[in-house]
Amino acid sequence: MASFYILLAILLWSSLGIVVRLSDVAIHILIFYSFVVALILQGVILTMKTYRKNIPGFKKIKYIMMFGIVSLLNMLSYFYAFKNTTIANAVLTHYTAPVIVAFLAPVFLKEKITEKVIIAIIIASVGLWIMLNGFTFQEGHNRGILSGLFSGLTYAVIVILARSYAQDFNPLVLTFFSNLAIVILLVPFVREIPLHALWSFLLMGIVHSTIAPILYFKGLQSITAQKAAVLGYFEPVGAILLAVLIFGESPSGMAVIGGILILTSGYIAITKRI
């Protein structure tokens, strides 16, 4: 069941690119207002007696808000990579995260690196490379590639922190206070309210900033960070499938082969003890 929570969260997040494309607003504006919607919804739920008792003291809350800061750095660096290099370069550098997690988890979470982890990461990495036709080295892409690598590092840190915090905090509490940190940081940079994109704020606030992270944190209560990181490879596969369904885009034969390899790595992660 824990793997199902992680997979469902990842598949929900895979639709994010479509919402970003259709919303037609600046990224920081989209993030800010969708998280405001999420905070309102989550805040109402947290007022209920069942959840109020799960709210920790300030000393612990500050650690959750630090998690939110890392999450914001991850989002901004990932989107910056999209704008300053090819989508393939951005995604490939971003998904260095599972490799980083494989080495960080034994140090910070005392998880063992198993053969199954290594095999799953190799298969998924090769699949992603094939699906996106590898790196495109062009002049002027250095900043985008470096930003993508940084987003991969921050993504890895997020997985490690999330796995650690998921053991101590209620998923809703963890989601609320990390979102709160992001909103506070973005307030100085917001000067407009684009009402035409209200639908995207509501959709992202409810689905991508509330339901998905709560499912992800709940799943991380029971599975290893390494396994969660491998399952993260399903996100680009889900994004391609949604693009086919919604925009009528046709995936290439290489994309199909790469997708099959990624699904295989996910099968290994779900069915084998890693």
Side-chain angles (χ1 to χ4, degrees):
M1 183 59 74
S3 295
F4 172 76
Y5 289 144
I6 297 289
L7 278 174
L8 183 54
I10 288 168
L11 290 176
L12 290 175
W13 277 324
S14 70
S15 66
L16 189 57
I18 293 171
V19 179
V20 171
R21 182 187 295 188
L22 295 177
S23 67
D24 194 31
V25 296
I27 294 301
H28 70 286
I29 299 292
L30 184 60
I31 294 173
F32 176 79
Y33 285 111
S34 63
F35 276 49
V36 167
V37 170
L39 285 176
I40 294 172
L41 174 61
Q42 295 158 17
V44 170
I45 298 175
L46 281 175
T47 60
M48 299 178 182
K49 186 177 180 180
T50 306
Y51 292 98
R52 282 204 308 269
K53 63 183 181 181
N54 292 313
I55 299 177
F58 176 74
K59 288 185 177 181
K60 291 186 177 181
I61 287 176
K62 68 181 181 182
Y63 292 113
I64 303 177
M65 297 188 76
M66 287 171 60
F67 175 81
I69 294 172
V70 178
S71 297
L72 180 59
L73 288 174
N74 174 255
M75 285 185 283
L76 293 177
S77 58
Y78 194 28
F79 288 129
Y80 182 85
F82 275 127
K83 287 192 173 184
N84 290 274
T85 186
T86 64
I87 290 178
N89 286 352
V91 174
L92 285 168
T93 50
H94 180 72
Y95 280 95
T96 55
V99 179
I100 300 172
V101 169
F103 289 98
L104 292 181
V107 177
F108 294 100
L109 301 176
K110 307 305 178 185
E111 295 180 3
K112 294 181 179 179
I113 300 180
T114 67
E115 291 182 2
K116 298 294 190 304
V117 169
I118 296 173
I119 291 171
I121 289 176
I122 290 174
I123 292 174
S125 298
V126 171
L128 187 63
W129 184 281
I130 292 173
M131 188 169 66
L132 297 173
N133 294 316
F135 279 104
T136 301
F137 291 103
Q138 297 178 13
E139 187 177 351
H141 284 234
N142 291 343
R143 288 185 301 172
I145 290 172
L146 287 174
S147 184
L149 289 170
F150 181 74
S151 74
L153 174 62
T154 53
Y155 180 18
V157 173
I158 286 170
V159 174
I160 296 295
L161 290 177
R163 168 62 178 161
S164 177
Y165 290 171
Q167 311 306 307
D168 301 320
F169 301 105
N170 178 279
L172 178 60
V173 171
L174 187 51
T175 302
F176 177 83
F177 286 104
S178 60
N179 286 354
L180 178 60
I182 292 172
V183 168
I184 292 173
L185 288 172
L186 289 178
V187 165
F189 305 99
V190 176
R191 297 286 186 273
E192 58 181 306
I193 305 177
L195 295 178
H196 71 278
L198 180 61
W199 67 270
S200 63
F201 305 149
L202 292 172
L203 179 61
M204 282 183 60
I206 295 170
V207 176
H208 302 94
S209 304
T210 299
I211 297 175
I214 288 175
L215 287 171
Y216 191 77
F217 294 141
K218 186 165 183 63
L220 276 173
Q221 291 177 336
S222 304
I223 71 172
T224 66
Q226 296 174 73
K227 186 172 182 177
V230 172
L231 293 177
Y233 280 110
F234 275 69
E235 187 173 349
V237 176
I240 289 176
L241 291 176
L242 287 173
V244 171
L245 293 174
I246 297 175
F247 296 118
E249 297 180 1
S250 299
S252 65
M254 297 298 282
V256 173
I257 294 172
I260 291 172
L261 287 173
I262 291 174
L263 294 176
T264 301
S265 74
Y267 175 78
I268 293 173
I270 292 173
T271 58
K272 306 295 182 181
R273 185 175 180 81
I274 67 174

